Amino acid sequence: MVETKGAKTSLRLAESMLELIQRHGYSGTGLNMVVEHAGAPKGSLYFHYPQGKQALGEKAVELAAERFGSLVADAALEQATPGEVLRRVIDELAGMLEGSAFQLGCPVSVVTLEMGAESERLREACTQAFESWIAPVTELLIAHGRPRPVARALATAMVSMVEGAVIVSRAQRSTEPLYCAAQAIDVLLAQGAEASA
């Protein structure tokens, strides 16, 4: 499918918003910054996002959700166990953090922390993003023998721990918190397997 010029511009604006949120936060990202970063005509922003910054922020959150979801899905196809999928995801996140000198974080957690109490639209976008990660992990765990309630609880804990570990890793400028989270999740997975046995 060939994308139109307009669709490419819309995506470029969303990608710029996503990267700038990762670097500067939602509040620290102005629309002029986005237009400049995207190399787009100024009028194109309101043409593609007539509802302004919140609409663009919502699209950036959706884009982040899709990308992380694809990472989990690709890892699940290539790896045999939930623990191996987790390690692949942790390695990818650690690489992103190190590659950006710990400047890039998860835009979904950033938007949640900054705007979750102020914008129902953005809070809901973040809720959907987190759910889009929890749901496939739940299904992966079910496929490996966990009952649905146990799988859902483990998946929610896994996503929550990884999100928190990304924040602590940025603060400490170290990937150690990510790998500590991975070790703790391994323990949870082992306990979950025992509980479902």
Side-chain angles (χ1 to χ4, degrees):
M1 181 178 172
V2 178
E3 287 189 335
T4 64
K5 182 178 178 184
K8 289 179 181 176
T9 301
S10 176
L11 179 60
R12 198 163 72 245
L13 287 164
E15 288 174 336
S16 289
M17 182 69 169
L18 174 60
E19 184 175 335
L20 290 169
I21 288 172
Q22 287 179 288
R23 290 186 183 277
H24 306 291
Y26 179 85
S27 299
T29 298
L31 293 180
N32 288 336
M33 290 171 64
V34 175
V35 170
E36 182 179 341
H37 186 274
K42 191 166 186 178
S44 66
L45 192 145
Y46 284 103
F47 176 78
H48 293 290
Y49 299 96
Q51 295 175 318
K53 185 176 179 180
Q54 286 196 24
L56 186 55
E58 181 180 35
K59 182 64 179 175
V61 167
E62 289 172 2
L63 193 58
E66 289 170 13
R67 289 183 176 171
F68 188 78
S70 294
L71 170 61
V72 173
D74 290 347
L77 287 174
E78 295 174 15
Q79 309 298 330
T81 68
E84 288 168 341
V85 171
L86 168 71
R87 286 292 173 164
R88 166 81 188 277
V89 170
I90 292 289
D91 286 343
E92 289 285 338
L93 291 173
M96 176 198 74
L97 287 168
E98 290 178 326
S100 69
F102 296 91
Q103 295 302 303
L104 296 183
C106 175
V108 181
S109 61
V110 169
V111 173
T112 300
L113 292 170
E114 287 188 36
M115 298 301 296
E118 295 181 36
S119 168
E120 182 62 19
R121 179 179 191 163
L122 291 173
R123 187 201 63 77
E124 181 58 31
C126 292
T127 297
Q128 291 178 10
F130 288 128
E131 179 58 28
S132 77
W133 304 337
I134 292 168
V137 175
T138 299
E139 296 305 317
L140 175 65
L141 292 166
I142 290 169
H144 283 82
R146 272 59 166 202
R148 183 168 293 278
V150 173
R152 174 74 186 186
L154 281 170
T156 302
M158 289 169 72
V159 170
S160 300
M161 289 174 74
V162 170
E163 281 293 300
V166 169
I167 293 169
V168 178
S169 287
R170 288 185 74 190
Q172 294 183 356
R173 299 180 68 79
S174 166
T175 57
E176 183 180 2
L178 266 176
Y179 288 104
C180 288
Q183 290 174 355
I185 292 169
D186 281 341
V187 173
L188 284 176
L189 289 172
Q191 290 174 343
E194 291 170 8
S196 60

